[in-house]
Amino acid sequence: MDATERVSPEGSVPVDAGPEGSVPADARPAGSVPLDAPPAGAGRRGGRVVGLALSCHPGPALAVTALACALALGSGLGGPRSALVTAAVLTGQLSVGWCNDAYDARRDARAGRRGKPAADGTVGAGAVWGAAAVALAVCVPLSLACGVLAGTVHLAAVAAAWLYNLRLKATALSWLPYVAGFGALPAAVALSLPGGPAPRWWTVAAGALLGFAAHLADTLPDIAADRAAGIRGLPHLLGDTGTRLLLPLPLLGATAVLALGPPGPVDAGGAAALVLAGAGAFAGPALGRRWRKAALAGAVAVAAVDLALLLVRGVAAA
């Protein structure tokens, strides 16, 4: 479940409350949108376009794309090559976001979740599936244009994200696509450089650890609602307390790998990054009961510190 989802305060409807695609009127949460109601965007092309844009999970999609762009530019790829990498990552992220909303549309509608265009009828699930397919089709040539090996690594990460949406999200392996995707990002950027140099191991390890942390932080605010929908990913098995206790470890681990991985003693930048990362890693989960997105904000702050350190150190072996 995306961190921006909401559940109707009166509760959620069991998945088996009615026949496929419908819910009895007396079983719907108060204030939820009836599934047989006219689509909110019906007859309004603008409404459907906006709904389609919101269905792609624009926040995470743009954040990952911006990260890839920063890595590409910071690695010396140059403007045109960096734009190609950025476009490949953007189309991959769009396909993943649209796939997620289209696949979850019926379950989100039954649960009365708000802010989900494919669930409230603003845009049809079929249109969202179509957009996901088009984005994925465009992503393939763009990725391979970055280099066969670089493109293969990126497409494998996109495939892992689709597998998360379609299967692994509700299992104890829910963390695996995040680890694979975030670890693949610096690897794909490094392999896109002239000559395809191998990525530095600590950049891939740090990306993987940040991916694990991102999964925990993104899921943490919605553990209870996800459980009600039958989702049993790793954070749901750990529970709220267990997830809060675990979250700082991969965040600190990612920064430690970047600071300690390169040969030689830790410099002033690495030491400062460790201090800042420690503050962000523990402050987020600690404030989580007062601010719903505190853990995610803390993870983003640590990721920003790590990105700065990564840009200084470089993503590819010399």
Side-chain angles (χ1 to χ4, degrees), residues 66-174:
L67 174 60
C69 183
L71 286 175
L73 290 172
S75 300
L77 270 178
R81 194 76 172 169
S82 296
L84 180 61
V85 170
T86 302
V89 172
L90 176 60
T91 53
Q93 290 300 304
L94 289 175
S95 78
V96 171
W98 278 322
C99 167
N100 182 281
D101 257 29
Y103 185 75
D104 288 344
R106 285 179 175 171
R107 180 172 59 196
D108 290 340
R110 291 190 183 101
R113 294 195 178 102
R114 299 169 183 175
K116 306 290 289 183
D120 65 20
T122 301
V123 61
V128 180
W129 274 123
V134 170
L136 184 61
V138 174
C139 177
V140 173
L142 287 176
S143 297
L144 294 177
C146 298
V148 174
L149 190 53
T152 300
V153 169
H154 178 242
L155 291 174
V158 173
W162 273 67
L163 184 59
Y164 170 84
N165 290 338
L166 302 178
R167 174 60 182 164
L168 295 183
K169 177 179 180 178
T171 74
L173 294 178
S174 59

